[in-house]
Amino acid sequence: KKRENLEEQLASCIIRAELPGLVAYGGAQANYYTPRYYDGISSGATLKTGQPIITIPNMSELGVEVNIHESHVKKIELGQKAYITAESVPDMKLEGRITKVAVLPDSNASRYNPSLKVYPATIEIDGTHEFLKPGMSAKVEIIVKELQDVTYVPVQSIFVEESEHFVFLKTFGGYERRQVEVGMPHI
C-alpha cells in the first residue's frame, strides 16, 4: 500500500503541457492584481499551495511590465501609446499600448525602500516579433501627450529673467533676444 502511494505521488510529479511552446518558470509577481506574493522558483525552494510553478507564455501577445513612479501615475491612462526598445535589439522600436495599471502601489518595492511608491503597469506590444523572448529587458517611452505645430529646443537654450523666458536667435548681425512661452500650450 505504501509502495502504491509512493508510485502515485511519483506519477503526479510529471507535468504535461496543454499546448506547445516555451516553458518558463512561474514565480515572483506573476499577477500583481492579487494580494498574494510568490518568490521566484529556484532550486530547493519551498512551494505554496496554488503557486504557479511553470507557465507557457503566449508568444503572440507579449507585453512589458513597468513600474510607474507615484509622481507620474496620474498622467497614465489605459490605451496610451508607448514605444518599446528591447535592449538586445536597440535599433528596433516597437509600438504598444497600456493595458493595465495597478490601483495600489507595489508593496514589494516598498520593502526595500519605504519611501518609494511605484504602480505596476502592463504595456502590450503590437504585432508578433520573433526576436522577443520572455524575461528580456526593455526601455519604454509612454506618450503622455502629443502636441502638433510646436517648436522644441534643448532646455539649456532657455533663459529666465524675472519670470520671463527667452532664447537667443541667431541673426546675420549676431544674436537677438526672443521671448518664448514654455510648457504645454494653453488651449
Side-chain angles (χ1 to χ4, degrees):
K1 185 139 179 121
K2 187 176 180 183
R3 181 178 172 185
E4 284 176 18
N5 185 12
L6 290 171
E7 285 175 352
E8 192 177 301
Q9 287 183 39
L10 187 60
S12 296
C13 290
I14 297 171
I15 301 169
R16 298 204 185 277
E18 295 176 3
L19 58 134
L22 172 76
V23 175
Y25 284 118
Q29 296 174 325
N31 186 349
Y32 48 72
Y33 300 101
T34 64
R36 288 189 170 181
Y37 173 77
Y38 298 116
D39 292 325
I41 304 291
S42 60
S43 178
T46 302
L47 302 178
K48 299 177 178 117
T49 303
Q51 179 174 357
I53 301 171
I54 58 171
T55 57
I56 299 178
N58 182 349
M59 299 298 285
S60 67
E61 295 179 6
L62 288 178
V64 183
E65 290 182 6
V66 295
N67 289 322
I68 310 293
H69 191 272
E70 66 181 328
S71 63
H72 299 299
V73 78
K74 285 187 176 181
K75 299 176 189 173
I76 303 302
E77 296 175 8
L78 296 181
Q80 277 177 324
K81 187 170 29 171
Y83 294 115
I84 302 102
T85 308
E87 288 188 6
S88 60
V89 190
D91 55 332
M92 288 282 292
K93 190 177 253 191
L94 309 175
E95 281 193 32
R97 304 235 170 249
I98 295 181
T99 55
K100 293 180 190 172
V101 180
V103 179
L104 299 173
D106 182 4
S107 59
N108 298 309
S110 60
R111 280 185 193 174
Y112 307 108
N113 185 352
S115 63
L116 178 66
K117 299 272 189 299
V118 293
Y119 291 77
T122 301
I123 297 165
E124 282 189 8
I125 300 170
D126 297 341
T128 305
H129 308 279
E130 293 293 322
F131 61 87
L132 291 179
K133 304 285 182 226
M136 281 184 159
S137 297
K139 179 180 141 191
V140 175
E141 296 174 76
I142 298 172
I143 307 305
V144 175
K145 187 138 182 114
E146 288 185 285
L147 303 173
Q148 302 297 324
D149 298 324
V150 293
T151 302
Y152 62 95
V153 295
V155 70
Q156 296 88 343
S157 65
I158 303 208
F159 298 88
V160 181
E161 187 177 279
E162 296 178 12
S163 73
E164 177 189 347
H165 295 83
F166 59 92
V167 295
F168 287 101
L169 186 66
K170 187 170 183 176
T171 62
F172 290 114
Y175 291 92
E176 174 189 323
R177 180 174 162 157
R178 175 90 44 100
Q179 186 175 350
V180 292
E181 183 181 335
V182 296
M184 292 279 194
H186 303 290
I187 300 169

Short mmCIF file of all heavy atoms in Angstrom, two decimals, residues 7-63:
data_model
loop_
_atom_site.label_atom_id
_atom_site.label_comp_id
_atom_site.label_asym_id
_atom_site.label_seq_id
_atom_site.Cartn_x
_atom_site.Cartn_y
_atom_site.Cartn_z
N GLU A 7 4.22 5.43 -5.65
CA GLU A 7 4.16 5.41 -7.11
C GLU A 7 3.14 6.44 -7.62
O GLU A 7 3.37 7.10 -8.64
CB GLU A 7 3.79 4.00 -7.61
CG GLU A 7 4.95 3.03 -7.52
CD GLU A 7 4.56 1.60 -7.89
OE1 GLU A 7 3.34 1.33 -8.07
OE2 GLU A 7 5.47 0.77 -8.00
N GLU A 8 2.05 6.58 -6.89
CA GLU A 8 1.04 7.58 -7.25
C GLU A 8 1.61 8.99 -7.13
O GLU A 8 1.39 9.85 -7.98
CB GLU A 8 -0.18 7.41 -6.34
CG GLU A 8 -1.39 8.18 -6.79
CD GLU A 8 -2.58 7.92 -5.87
OE1 GLU A 8 -2.99 6.76 -5.73
OE2 GLU A 8 -3.07 8.91 -5.29
N GLN A 9 2.36 9.23 -6.04
CA GLN A 9 3.00 10.54 -5.85
C GLN A 9 4.01 10.82 -6.96
O GLN A 9 4.10 11.94 -7.48
CB GLN A 9 3.69 10.60 -4.49
CG GLN A 9 2.73 10.73 -3.32
CD GLN A 9 3.48 10.87 -2.01
OE1 GLN A 9 4.49 11.55 -1.95
NE2 GLN A 9 2.96 10.22 -0.98
N LEU A 10 4.79 9.78 -7.32
CA LEU A 10 5.79 9.93 -8.36
C LEU A 10 5.12 10.24 -9.71
O LEU A 10 5.57 11.10 -10.45
CB LEU A 10 6.63 8.65 -8.47
CG LEU A 10 7.83 8.71 -9.41
CD1 LEU A 10 8.80 9.80 -8.98
CD2 LEU A 10 8.53 7.37 -9.46
N ALA A 11 4.00 9.57 -10.01
CA ALA A 11 3.27 9.82 -11.25
C ALA A 11 2.71 11.25 -11.28
O ALA A 11 2.63 11.88 -12.33
CB ALA A 11 2.15 8.80 -11.41
N SER A 12 2.36 11.76 -10.10
CA SER A 12 1.83 13.13 -10.01
C SER A 12 2.90 14.19 -10.26
O SER A 12 2.60 15.36 -10.47
CB SER A 12 1.20 13.37 -8.64
OG SER A 12 0.10 12.53 -8.46
N CYS A 13 4.17 13.79 -10.20
CA CYS A 13 5.27 14.74 -10.42
C CYS A 13 5.48 15.06 -11.90
O CYS A 13 6.19 15.99 -12.24
CB CYS A 13 6.57 14.19 -9.84
SG CYS A 13 6.57 14.15 -8.04
N ILE A 14 4.88 14.27 -12.77
CA ILE A 14 5.02 14.52 -14.20
C ILE A 14 3.97 15.55 -14.61
O ILE A 14 2.78 15.37 -14.39
CB ILE A 14 4.85 13.22 -15.02
CG1 ILE A 14 5.96 12.23 -14.64
CG2 ILE A 14 4.87 13.53 -16.52
CD1 ILE A 14 5.76 10.85 -15.22
N ILE A 15 4.42 16.65 -15.19
CA ILE A 15 3.52 17.72 -15.62
C ILE A 15 3.50 17.72 -17.14
O ILE A 15 4.56 17.80 -17.78
CB ILE A 15 4.01 19.09 -15.09
CG1 ILE A 15 4.08 19.07 -13.57
CG2 ILE A 15 3.11 20.20 -15.60
CD1 ILE A 15 4.78 20.26 -12.98
N ARG A 16 2.31 17.61 -17.71
CA ARG A 16 2.18 17.59 -19.17
C ARG A 16 1.61 18.93 -19.64
O ARG A 16 0.63 19.42 -19.11
CB ARG A 16 1.28 16.45 -19.60
CG ARG A 16 1.84 15.10 -19.20
CD ARG A 16 1.31 14.00 -20.07
NE ARG A 16 1.77 12.70 -19.60
CZ ARG A 16 2.95 12.17 -19.87
NH1 ARG A 16 3.80 12.83 -20.60
NH2 ARG A 16 3.29 10.99 -19.40
N ALA A 17 2.24 19.49 -20.67
CA ALA A 17 1.79 20.77 -21.22
C ALA A 17 0.49 20.59 -21.98
O ALA A 17 0.30 19.59 -22.66
CB ALA A 17 2.86 21.34 -22.14
N GLU A 18 -0.40 21.56 -21.85
CA GLU A 18 -1.67 21.52 -22.58
C GLU A 18 -1.51 22.05 -24.00
O GLU A 18 -2.37 21.85 -24.84
CB GLU A 18 -2.72 22.34 -21.83
CG GLU A 18 -3.07 21.75 -20.48
CD GLU A 18 -4.06 22.60 -19.70
OE1 GLU A 18 -4.52 23.63 -20.24
OE2 GLU A 18 -4.35 22.24 -18.55
N LEU A 19 -0.42 22.79 -24.26
CA LEU A 19 -0.16 23.32 -25.59
C LEU A 19 1.34 23.44 -25.79
O LEU A 19 2.09 23.51 -24.82
CB LEU A 19 -0.83 24.70 -25.76
CG LEU A 19 -0.44 25.78 -24.78
CD1 LEU A 19 -0.15 27.06 -25.54
CD2 LEU A 19 -1.59 26.04 -23.82
N PRO A 20 1.80 23.42 -27.05
CA PRO A 20 3.25 23.54 -27.28
C PRO A 20 3.74 24.96 -27.04
O PRO A 20 2.98 25.91 -27.16
CB PRO A 20 3.40 23.15 -28.76
CG PRO A 20 2.08 23.48 -29.37
CD PRO A 20 1.05 23.28 -28.29
N GLY A 21 5.01 25.09 -26.72
CA GLY A 21 5.58 26.42 -26.54
C GLY A 21 6.77 26.41 -25.62
O GLY A 21 7.22 25.37 -25.15
N LEU A 22 7.27 27.59 -25.35
CA LEU A 22 8.43 27.78 -24.49
C LEU A 22 7.98 27.69 -23.04
O LEU A 22 7.07 28.40 -22.62
CB LEU A 22 9.03 29.17 -24.76
CG LEU A 22 10.13 29.63 -23.81
CD1 LEU A 22 11.42 28.91 -24.13
CD2 LEU A 22 10.33 31.12 -23.95
N VAL A 23 8.61 26.82 -22.27
CA VAL A 23 8.27 26.68 -20.85
C VAL A 23 9.08 27.68 -20.05
O VAL A 23 10.29 27.78 -20.20
CB VAL A 23 8.56 25.24 -20.36
CG1 VAL A 23 8.33 25.12 -18.86
CG2 VAL A 23 7.69 24.24 -21.10
N ALA A 24 8.40 28.45 -19.22
CA ALA A 24 9.06 29.45 -18.38
C ALA A 24 8.66 29.22 -16.93
O ALA A 24 7.56 28.75 -16.65
CB ALA A 24 8.65 30.86 -18.81
N TYR A 25 9.56 29.52 -16.01
CA TYR A 25 9.24 29.41 -14.60
C TYR A 25 8.14 30.40 -14.24
O TYR A 25 8.18 31.55 -14.63
CB TYR A 25 10.46 29.71 -13.72
CG TYR A 25 11.46 28.59 -13.64
CD1 TYR A 25 12.76 28.78 -14.10
CD2 TYR A 25 11.11 27.36 -13.11
CE1 TYR A 25 13.70 27.76 -14.03
CE2 TYR A 25 12.04 26.34 -13.04
CZ TYR A 25 13.33 26.55 -13.50
OH TYR A 25 14.23 25.54 -13.43
N GLY A 26 7.18 29.93 -13.45
CA GLY A 26 6.22 30.85 -12.85
C GLY A 26 6.94 31.52 -11.70
O GLY A 26 8.08 31.20 -11.41
N GLY A 27 6.30 32.47 -11.02
CA GLY A 27 7.01 32.99 -9.87
C GLY A 27 6.67 34.40 -9.52
O GLY A 27 5.53 34.81 -9.62
N ALA A 28 7.69 35.12 -9.10
CA ALA A 28 7.52 36.43 -8.49
C ALA A 28 6.69 37.36 -9.36
O ALA A 28 6.91 37.48 -10.55
CB ALA A 28 8.88 37.06 -8.22
N GLN A 29 5.72 37.98 -8.75
CA GLN A 29 4.87 38.99 -9.37
C GLN A 29 4.20 38.49 -10.64
O GLN A 29 4.04 39.21 -11.60
CB GLN A 29 5.67 40.25 -9.68
CG GLN A 29 6.20 40.91 -8.45
CD GLN A 29 7.10 42.07 -8.77
OE1 GLN A 29 7.84 42.04 -9.75
NE2 GLN A 29 7.08 43.09 -7.94
N ALA A 30 3.80 37.21 -10.64
CA ALA A 30 3.11 36.68 -11.81
C ALA A 30 1.81 37.42 -12.04
O ALA A 30 1.38 37.60 -13.15
CB ALA A 30 2.86 35.19 -11.62
N ASN A 31 1.17 37.87 -10.94
CA ASN A 31 -0.06 38.65 -11.07
C ASN A 31 -0.11 39.65 -9.94
O ASN A 31 -0.39 39.31 -8.80
CB ASN A 31 -1.28 37.73 -11.03
CG ASN A 31 -2.57 38.49 -11.31
OD1 ASN A 31 -2.58 39.71 -11.34
ND2 ASN A 31 -3.64 37.76 -11.49
N TYR A 32 0.19 40.93 -10.24
CA TYR A 32 0.25 41.93 -9.19
C TYR A 32 -1.12 42.47 -8.82
O TYR A 32 -1.23 43.38 -8.03
CB TYR A 32 1.20 43.07 -9.55
CG TYR A 32 1.04 43.65 -10.92
CD1 TYR A 32 -0.05 44.45 -11.25
CD2 TYR A 32 2.00 43.42 -11.89
CE1 TYR A 32 -0.17 44.99 -12.51
CE2 TYR A 32 1.89 43.96 -13.15
CZ TYR A 32 0.81 44.74 -13.46
OH TYR A 32 0.70 45.28 -14.70
N TYR A 33 -2.18 41.92 -9.40
CA TYR A 33 -3.53 42.37 -9.04
C TYR A 33 -4.13 41.49 -7.95
O TYR A 33 -5.23 41.70 -7.52
CB TYR A 33 -4.43 42.38 -10.28
CG TYR A 33 -3.87 43.31 -11.32
CD1 TYR A 33 -3.16 42.84 -12.41
CD2 TYR A 33 -4.01 44.69 -11.18
CE1 TYR A 33 -2.61 43.70 -13.33
CE2 TYR A 33 -3.46 45.56 -12.10
CZ TYR A 33 -2.77 45.06 -13.17
OH TYR A 33 -2.22 45.93 -14.08
N THR A 34 -3.41 40.46 -7.52
CA THR A 34 -3.87 39.62 -6.42
C THR A 34 -3.03 39.96 -5.19
O THR A 34 -1.90 40.41 -5.32
CB THR A 34 -3.73 38.11 -6.74
OG1 THR A 34 -2.35 37.82 -6.89
CG2 THR A 34 -4.48 37.74 -8.01
N PRO A 35 -3.57 39.71 -3.99
CA PRO A 35 -2.82 40.06 -2.79
C PRO A 35 -1.66 39.11 -2.50
O PRO A 35 -0.83 39.38 -1.66
CB PRO A 35 -3.87 39.99 -1.68
CG PRO A 35 -4.92 39.07 -2.20
CD PRO A 35 -4.91 39.23 -3.70
N ARG A 36 -1.61 37.97 -3.19
CA ARG A 36 -0.55 37.00 -2.91
C ARG A 36 0.75 37.39 -3.59
O ARG A 36 0.76 37.87 -4.72
CB ARG A 36 -0.95 35.62 -3.41
CG ARG A 36 -2.03 34.98 -2.58
CD ARG A 36 -2.19 33.57 -3.02
NE ARG A 36 -3.05 32.89 -2.08
CZ ARG A 36 -3.38 31.64 -2.17
NH1 ARG A 36 -2.94 30.91 -3.16
NH2 ARG A 36 -4.17 31.08 -1.28
N TYR A 37 1.84 37.11 -2.89
CA TYR A 37 3.16 37.33 -3.47
C TYR A 37 3.91 36.02 -3.39
O TYR A 37 3.99 35.41 -2.34
CB TYR A 37 3.92 38.42 -2.72
CG TYR A 37 5.35 38.55 -3.20
CD1 TYR A 37 5.63 39.20 -4.39
CD2 TYR A 37 6.39 38.00 -2.47
CE1 TYR A 37 6.93 39.32 -4.85
CE2 TYR A 37 7.70 38.10 -2.92
CZ TYR A 37 7.96 38.77 -4.12
OH TYR A 37 9.25 38.86 -4.57
N TYR A 38 4.46 35.56 -4.51
CA TYR A 38 5.23 34.33 -4.53
C TYR A 38 6.68 34.66 -4.88
O TYR A 38 6.94 35.44 -5.79
CB TYR A 38 4.68 33.36 -5.59
CG TYR A 38 3.26 32.93 -5.34
CD1 TYR A 38 2.25 33.28 -6.24
CD2 TYR A 38 2.92 32.18 -4.23
CE1 TYR A 38 0.94 32.87 -6.03
CE2 TYR A 38 1.62 31.76 -4.02
CZ TYR A 38 0.64 32.11 -4.92
OH TYR A 38 -0.65 31.71 -4.70
N ASP A 39 7.60 34.04 -4.15
CA ASP A 39 9.01 34.18 -4.50
C ASP A 39 9.26 33.45 -5.81
O ASP A 39 8.54 32.51 -6.16
CB ASP A 39 9.90 33.60 -3.40
CG ASP A 39 9.84 34.41 -2.13
OD1 ASP A 39 9.71 35.65 -2.24
OD2 ASP A 39 9.89 33.83 -1.03
N GLY A 40 10.31 33.84 -6.52
CA GLY A 40 10.66 33.17 -7.76
C GLY A 40 11.04 31.71 -7.50
O GLY A 40 11.51 31.35 -6.42
N ILE A 41 10.82 30.87 -8.49
CA ILE A 41 11.16 29.46 -8.39
C ILE A 41 12.67 29.32 -8.50
O ILE A 41 13.30 29.91 -9.37
CB ILE A 41 10.50 28.65 -9.53
CG1 ILE A 41 8.99 28.84 -9.52
CG2 ILE A 41 10.87 27.19 -9.45
CD1 ILE A 41 8.27 28.22 -8.37
N SER A 42 13.25 28.54 -7.60
CA SER A 42 14.68 28.26 -7.66
C SER A 42 14.91 26.88 -7.06
O SER A 42 14.02 26.31 -6.42
CB SER A 42 15.48 29.31 -6.90
OG SER A 42 15.10 29.32 -5.54
N SER A 43 16.08 26.35 -7.26
CA SER A 43 16.41 25.01 -6.76
C SER A 43 16.29 24.99 -5.24
O SER A 43 16.83 25.85 -4.55
CB SER A 43 17.84 24.66 -7.18
OG SER A 43 18.19 23.40 -6.67
N GLY A 44 15.52 24.02 -4.72
CA GLY A 44 15.36 23.86 -3.28
C GLY A 44 14.31 24.77 -2.66
O GLY A 44 14.13 24.78 -1.44
N ALA A 45 13.59 25.54 -3.48
CA ALA A 45 12.57 26.45 -2.96
C ALA A 45 11.38 25.69 -2.40
O ALA A 45 11.05 24.61 -2.88
CB ALA A 45 12.10 27.40 -4.05
N THR A 46 10.75 26.24 -1.37
CA THR A 46 9.54 25.65 -0.81
C THR A 46 8.35 26.26 -1.55
O THR A 46 8.24 27.47 -1.67
CB THR A 46 9.43 25.97 0.70
OG1 THR A 46 10.60 25.46 1.34
CG2 THR A 46 8.19 25.33 1.30
N LEU A 47 7.49 25.40 -2.07
CA LEU A 47 6.34 25.88 -2.84
C LEU A 47 5.12 25.99 -1.95
O LEU A 47 4.98 25.26 -0.97
CB LEU A 47 6.05 24.92 -4.00
CG LEU A 47 7.21 24.70 -4.97
CD1 LEU A 47 6.81 23.69 -6.04
CD2 LEU A 47 7.63 26.00 -5.61
N LYS A 48 4.23 26.90 -2.30
CA LYS A 48 2.98 27.10 -1.57
C LYS A 48 1.83 26.59 -2.41
O LYS A 48 1.91 26.54 -3.64
CB LYS A 48 2.79 28.59 -1.27
CG LYS A 48 3.89 29.17 -0.40
CD LYS A 48 3.69 30.66 -0.20
CE LYS A 48 4.77 31.19 0.71
NZ LYS A 48 5.64 32.14 0.14
N THR A 49 0.74 26.24 -1.76
CA THR A 49 -0.44 25.78 -2.49
C THR A 49 -0.94 26.87 -3.42
O THR A 49 -1.07 28.02 -3.02
CB THR A 49 -1.56 25.40 -1.50
OG1 THR A 49 -1.05 24.42 -0.60
CG2 THR A 49 -2.77 24.85 -2.22
N GLY A 50 -1.18 26.51 -4.68
CA GLY A 50 -1.68 27.47 -5.66
C GLY A 50 -0.60 28.29 -6.33
O GLY A 50 -0.89 29.09 -7.20
N GLN A 51 0.66 28.09 -5.92
CA GLN A 51 1.75 28.87 -6.53
C GLN A 51 2.03 28.37 -7.95
O GLN A 51 2.16 27.18 -8.17
CB GLN A 51 3.02 28.74 -5.69
CG GLN A 51 4.19 29.51 -6.27
CD GLN A 51 5.41 29.49 -5.36
OE1 GLN A 51 5.36 28.94 -4.26
NE2 GLN A 51 6.48 30.08 -5.81
N PRO A 52 2.11 29.28 -8.92
CA PRO A 52 2.45 28.84 -10.28
C PRO A 52 3.88 28.32 -10.32
O PRO A 52 4.79 28.98 -9.81
CB PRO A 52 2.29 30.10 -11.13
CG PRO A 52 2.20 31.24 -10.18
CD PRO A 52 1.86 30.72 -8.84
N ILE A 53 4.07 27.15 -10.91
CA ILE A 53 5.41 26.56 -11.00
C ILE A 53 6.02 26.86 -12.36
O ILE A 53 7.12 27.39 -12.45
CB ILE A 53 5.35 25.03 -10.76
CG1 ILE A 53 4.76 24.74 -9.39
CG2 ILE A 53 6.74 24.42 -10.89
CD1 ILE A 53 4.47 23.28 -9.15
N ILE A 54 5.29 26.50 -13.40
CA ILE A 54 5.75 26.83 -14.75
C ILE A 54 4.59 27.36 -15.56
O ILE A 54 3.43 27.11 -15.24
CB ILE A 54 6.37 25.60 -15.48
CG1 ILE A 54 5.35 24.46 -15.57
CG2 ILE A 54 7.66 25.16 -14.84
CD1 ILE A 54 5.80 23.31 -16.46
N THR A 55 4.93 28.13 -16.57
CA THR A 55 3.91 28.65 -17.49
C THR A 55 4.43 28.49 -18.91
O THR A 55 5.63 28.35 -19.14
CB THR A 55 3.61 30.14 -17.23
OG1 THR A 55 4.83 30.87 -17.36
CG2 THR A 55 3.02 30.37 -15.86
N ILE A 56 3.50 28.52 -19.85
CA ILE A 56 3.86 28.56 -21.27
C ILE A 56 3.29 29.87 -21.80
O ILE A 56 2.09 29.96 -22.05
CB ILE A 56 3.31 27.35 -22.03
CG1 ILE A 56 3.88 26.06 -21.43
CG2 ILE A 56 3.64 27.46 -23.52
CD1 ILE A 56 3.38 24.80 -22.08
N PRO A 57 4.12 30.89 -21.90
CA PRO A 57 3.62 32.19 -22.33
C PRO A 57 3.09 32.15 -23.76
O PRO A 57 3.61 31.42 -24.60
CB PRO A 57 4.84 33.12 -22.26
CG PRO A 57 5.93 32.33 -21.63
CD PRO A 57 5.55 30.90 -21.64
N ASN A 58 2.06 32.95 -24.01
CA ASN A 58 1.53 33.11 -25.35
C ASN A 58 2.44 34.09 -26.08
O ASN A 58 2.40 35.29 -25.84
CB ASN A 58 0.09 33.64 -25.29
CG ASN A 58 -0.53 33.77 -26.66
OD1 ASN A 58 0.14 33.67 -27.68
ND2 ASN A 58 -1.83 34.01 -26.69
N MET A 59 3.28 33.57 -26.97
CA MET A 59 4.29 34.39 -27.63
C MET A 59 3.70 35.37 -28.64
O MET A 59 4.39 36.26 -29.11
CB MET A 59 5.33 33.49 -28.32
CG MET A 59 6.07 32.58 -27.35
SD MET A 59 7.02 33.48 -26.13
CE MET A 59 8.39 34.01 -27.13
N SER A 60 2.42 35.22 -28.97
CA SER A 60 1.80 36.17 -29.91
C SER A 60 1.26 37.40 -29.19
O SER A 60 0.86 38.36 -29.82
CB SER A 60 0.68 35.48 -30.69
OG SER A 60 -0.38 35.15 -29.81
N GLU A 61 1.23 37.37 -27.86
CA GLU A 61 0.73 38.51 -27.09
C GLU A 61 1.71 38.86 -25.98
O GLU A 61 1.42 38.70 -24.81
CB GLU A 61 -0.64 38.16 -26.48
CG GLU A 61 -1.72 37.93 -27.51
CD GLU A 61 -3.05 37.56 -26.87
OE1 GLU A 61 -3.15 37.61 -25.62
OE2 GLU A 61 -3.97 37.23 -27.62
N LEU A 62 2.88 39.35 -26.37
CA LEU A 62 3.89 39.71 -25.38
C LEU A 62 3.65 41.14 -24.89
O LEU A 62 3.10 41.97 -25.61
CB LEU A 62 5.29 39.59 -25.97
CG LEU A 62 5.79 38.16 -26.18
CD1 LEU A 62 7.17 38.19 -26.81
CD2 LEU A 62 5.84 37.39 -24.88
N GLY A 63 4.07 41.38 -23.66
CA GLY A 63 3.94 42.71 -23.09
C GLY A 63 5.15 43.04 -22.24
O GLY A 63 6.04 42.21 -22.06
#
